[in-house]
Amino acid sequence: MSVHVQETVRLLSGNEAIARGAFEAGVRVAAAYPGTPSTEILEYLVEYEGVHAEWAPNEKVAVEVALGASMAGARALAAMKHVGVNVAADPIFTAAYTGVRGGLVIVTADDPEMHSSQNEQDNRHYAQAAKIPMLEPADSAETKIYTKLAFELSERFDTPVFLRTTTRISHATGPVPLGEVEPSAVPLGFVEEPAKWVMLPVNARKRHVVVENRMRALRDFAESFDGNRIEWGDRSLGIITAGVAYQYVREAFPHASVLKLGMAHPLPERLIREFAAGVTRLVVVEELDPIIETHVKAMGIRVEGKDRVPALGELNPRIVRQAISGDAAPLREPAAVPSRPPNLCAGCPHRSLFVALNKCRVTVTGDIGCYTLSALPPLKSMDTCVCMGASIGNALGIEKALGAAARGKVVAVIGDSTFVHSGITGLINVVYNGGCSTVIILDNGTTAMTGAQDHPGTGKTLQGERVHRLDLAALCRAIGVEHVYTVNPHDQVETEAVLRRELDRDAPSVIIARAACVLLPEHRAEKRPGYEVIAELCNGCNACGKLGCPAIEWLPLTPEEAVAVGKKPTQKGIVRINRLMCDGCDLCPSVCKMRAMVEAAS
């Protein structure tokens, strides 16, 4: 029985629209690991009554939780950014064999242009490889519609369903009609079906037959799906496109004929042939890899694609128009926007830790988090970054490759949330395989990079419940690390001393650098003295500027201005501290040899 919701229209982002669509579909369980551009999906979904939404330790666990809920007859959703699907691939591929009971939707939020990611992978490949259908909306309204449809298709075809978004779809807003809640007709309760749920080879072989039959049925569905549609216009140019690229095509070529594909996998071959036969020139416009183009060419159809349209980064109307027509003139002049390079916040405890590491002159294997910004100038103190959890394995690999030459010269750094996500097994490996690596866990009490989400080490759930707080030090000792120490990274003297001592140790050790993220409400509520510069004492050495703190500002001086304020004419400038930004972390006074930085008067 549907629960009535007053019909209205709201401006929603794509992520808000997914949350709304899942709610209207009657989703009962949702799990995710936060990662831009997917993070907000669960943050919006948790606001709806009747939905259990949780942050999982990683994406693999999130999919396993969602699959378990589906096995029990509930509609369930797992959300992640594109690289999270790499982590979750193991259960996803087998879930294609088991199928579902309650609808199971897996959101993959791809990131063309790598706005906040370490690669630009195209997850349409996963739909093909796992043999799972994939829907790809082109705006917020479609995103809500396709989310609801994904649950229906999941139950109808007994399969998980991918919903693919990209950064522009996730974060752009548009009008979205709100509708009624339409819960699943599947009864709740686990039904024992070993042949379906237990993937021993004898059962998996039979389920593979089911998968192939399902894909044939889905190919028939794709032909009649109204999300795959031909929009006839000028037939001298026909463009096949999908997702946000459809919006770029429509803006760049408003009069062209367009085949809009709302289903990325499987593709509607009969519809493609009909469209190709009706146009003079055929072009595929898609972001990243030539998925559609390759399929069309395999059908024996002559088509243009990546020979014209870039395979790197995001598209836009100008790029699309230039690629197809050669017209490079901008559709409109871009606004002048000042450069805003990424930077650690003023008072960030990571900055203090990396200043200490720089003094130790070590190779730093890094990981995914705010602290990855330490690889950039002026800190330039991180040497590797591959994926979540890789820092510890990379450090051990360097150690084993170089032997005694690496002893005391390699440090792995990893955030608290990332350590829980995929660092624990790496640390187990260090102990098991006789490593001597020093591992630093940067514990700022949150998943800061994606917006301060909770994790098992914070003692609070997405639902706001207070729960057992994971003891990182006790966990490391349980793994077998005998030397575990906790420091406050803002204390430069203690931090550097502990670092040097542990680097010299002929055994694995863990240093937990614990200090709260400066953006946490409880930290911001604390009263801390800020700092100011005594201009008369500042000699313009700019040692403090090398910290990269955004609260430290450089004021250039001409020779005349320098003399006027009592400085030598050769002094290029002085520094000042922006009192509105200063967090009072006490780092800059520690590097000022002139003692020009003092606590500000209240």
Side-chain angles (χ1 to χ4, degrees):
M1 180 177 178
S2 296
V3 179
H4 180 71
V5 177
Q6 184 177 1
E7 182 71 23
T8 186
V9 175
R10 292 183 189 169
L11 279 176
L12 300 180
S13 68
N15 284 343
E16 287 177 292
I18 291 173
R20 181 68 197 189
F23 169 67
E24 291 184 10
V27 72
R28 294 178 64 91
V29 177
Y33 181 83
T36 306
S38 69
T39 303
E40 299 85 2
I41 295 170
L42 254 66
E43 293 180 328
Y44 292 126
L45 190 52
V46 74
E47 297 176 1
Y48 290 104
E49 292 185 8
V51 180
H52 170 78
E54 67 177 43
W55 293 128
N58 62 33
E59 295 86 357
K60 178 178 183 290
V61 173
V63 169
E64 290 160 350
V65 168
L67 178 58
S70 168
M71 290 172 174
R75 286 185 167 177
L77 178 141
M80 60 206 70
K81 68 181 296 174
H82 62 300
V83 289
V85 179
N86 302 333
V87 179
D90 198 358
I92 288 174
F93 273 65
T94 302
Y97 277 40
T98 66
V100 305
R101 280 197 69 235
L104 174 59
V105 174
I106 302 168
V107 179
T108 168
D110 288 12
D111 190 20
E113 203 69 35
M114 295 176 283
H115 295 281
S116 59
S117 306
Q118 68 269 38
N119 71 35
E120 207 172 23
Q121 72 189 45
D122 188 330
N123 276 3
R124 291 178 295 172
H125 290 290
Y126 269 113
Q128 294 180 330
K131 300 185 177 180
I132 291 176
M134 175 179 278
L135 300 177
E136 187 171 5
D139 56 34
S140 292
E142 272 195 353
T143 300
K144 195 206 82 165
I145 293 169
Y146 284 12
T147 301
K148 295 178 69 174
L149 174 63
F151 284 104
E152 296 169 10
L153 294 180
S154 177
E155 292 171 357
R156 175 177 168 184
F157 291 99
D158 186 22
T159 180
V161 175
F162 274 122
L163 180 70
R164 179 182 186 248
T165 65
T166 58
T167 300
R168 294 297 169 188
I169 296 296
S170 296
H171 293 159
T173 60
V176 178
L178 306 187
E180 296 182 340
V181 177
E182 302 171 1
S184 170
V186 177
L188 289 176
F190 182 77
V191 178
E192 292 186 8
E193 293 183 80
K196 177 176 173 63
W197 302 126
V198 182
M199 285 300 96
L200 291 168
V202 64
N203 294 333
R205 292 187 192 103
K206 297 174 183 176
R207 291 299 301 180
H208 191 183
V209 176
V210 173
V211 171
E212 298 302 329
N213 290 336
R214 173 203 299 153
M215 289 308 301
R216 280 192 286 273
L218 280 164
R219 281 190 281 271
D220 289 338
F221 170 81
E223 301 292 349
S224 59
F225 172 44
D226 59 9
N228 297 330
R229 64 176 185 267
I230 295 175
E231 299 173 355
W232 290 116
D234 181 352
R235 297 199 181 205
S236 65
L237 174 62
I239 302 174
I240 304 176
T241 188
V244 72
Y246 167 78
Q247 307 292 354
Y248 305 147
V249 165
R250 270 298 171 218
E251 187 170 347
F253 296 98
H255 304 298
S257 292
V258 175
L259 170 54
K260 179 191 178 299
L261 298 174
M263 197 168 198
H265 181 71
L267 294 173
E269 292 193 359
R270 292 196 298 273
L271 195 63
I272 291 171
R273 291 189 186 280
E274 177 188 345
F275 183 71
V279 298
T280 305
R281 180 187 180 195
L282 185 63
V283 183
V284 172
V285 175
E286 55 189 327
E287 286 187 325
L288 301 181
D289 295 342
I291 304 291
I292 300 171
E293 178 189 348
T294 299
H295 191 97
V296 173
K297 286 181 176 178
M299 294 168 58
I301 297 173
R302 184 182 180 86
V303 63
E304 301 169 62
K306 292 303 175 185
D307 54 336
R308 293 183 171 275
V309 181
L312 306 177
E314 286 185 310
L315 301 179
N316 61 43
R318 181 191 60 80
I319 292 173
V320 170
R321 188 171 69 173
Q322 182 179 4
I324 295 177
S325 70
D327 183 358
L331 296 176
R332 62 180 65 86
E333 288 298 325
V337 179
S339 175
R340 294 179 59 191
N343 195 2
L344 296 171
C345 300
C348 176
H350 300 335
R351 179 178 287 105
S352 300
L353 185 279
F354 283 100
V355 167
L357 282 172
N358 269 337
K359 294 178 182 178
C360 295
R361 298 185 180 277
V362 290
T363 296
V364 179
T365 57
D367 227 294
I368 307 296
C370 296
Y371 48 90
T372 315
L373 296 175
S374 67
L376 302 176
L379 291 174
K380 297 196 330 185
S381 50
M382 182 180 287
D383 300 293
T384 71
C385 177
V386 179
C387 66
M388 298 283 281
S391 60
I392 301 176
N394 291 164
L396 181 63
I398 292 173
E399 177 191 334
K400 294 299 184 183
L402 300 182
R407 189 64 52 85
K409 297 180 181 178
V410 182
V411 171
V413 297
I414 187 168
D416 48 342
S417 181
T418 308
F419 179 70
V420 175
H421 178 283
S422 50
I424 298 171
T425 49
L427 187 58
I428 291 172
N429 191 50
V430 169
V431 176
Y432 177 61
N433 283 299
C436 296
S437 302
T438 298
V439 175
I440 304 174
I441 302 175
L442 299 98
D443 183 7
N444 61 2
T446 189
T447 312
M449 183 174 65
T450 51
Q453 290 78 29
D454 288 296
H455 60 77
T458 69
K460 191 169 69 173
T461 70
L462 178 58
Q463 306 275 158
E465 302 166 323
R466 290 289 176 181
V467 294
H468 173 77
R469 182 174 183 173
L470 177 65
D471 187 330
L472 295 177
L475 174 62
C476 293
R477 293 189 181 97
I479 285 171
V481 181
E482 297 180 1
H483 306 283
V484 181
Y485 305 95
T486 300
V487 299
N488 178 353
H490 293 306
D491 186 335
Q492 283 284 295
V493 175
E494 180 197 18
T495 299
E496 185 178 347
V498 173
L499 275 172
R500 293 189 183 279
R501 184 189 71 211
E502 296 311 307
L503 283 168
D504 287 338
R505 191 181 296 281
D506 191 21
S509 61
V510 170
I511 301 171
I512 301 174
R514 179 168 290 151
C517 171
V518 296
L519 299 182
L520 290 177
E522 53 267 36
H523 177 81
R524 294 172 70 88
E526 294 177 1
K527 297 290 184 181
R528 290 174 305 283
Y531 285 85
E532 63 184 4
V533 176
I534 301 174
E536 292 78 10
L537 296 180
C538 178
N539 67 353
C541 71
N542 203 28
C544 56
K546 296 176 182 177
L547 300 174
C549 178
I552 299 174
E553 301 174 345
W554 175 255
L555 300 179
L557 297 175
T558 65
E560 294 76 17
E561 291 171 334
V563 171
V565 294
K567 305 293 182 183
K568 296 179 180 180
T570 55
Q571 185 165 325
K572 301 299 183 182
I574 59 174
V575 297
R576 70 179 179 189
I577 294 177
N578 186 322
R579 292 284 303 278
L580 294 176
M581 298 183 70
C582 180
D583 190 68
C585 71
D586 201 36
L587 178 60
C588 55
S590 71
V591 301
C592 181
K593 295 180 179 180
M594 303 305 296
R595 301 185 183 275
M597 293 181 164
V598 297
E599 287 189 9
S602 58

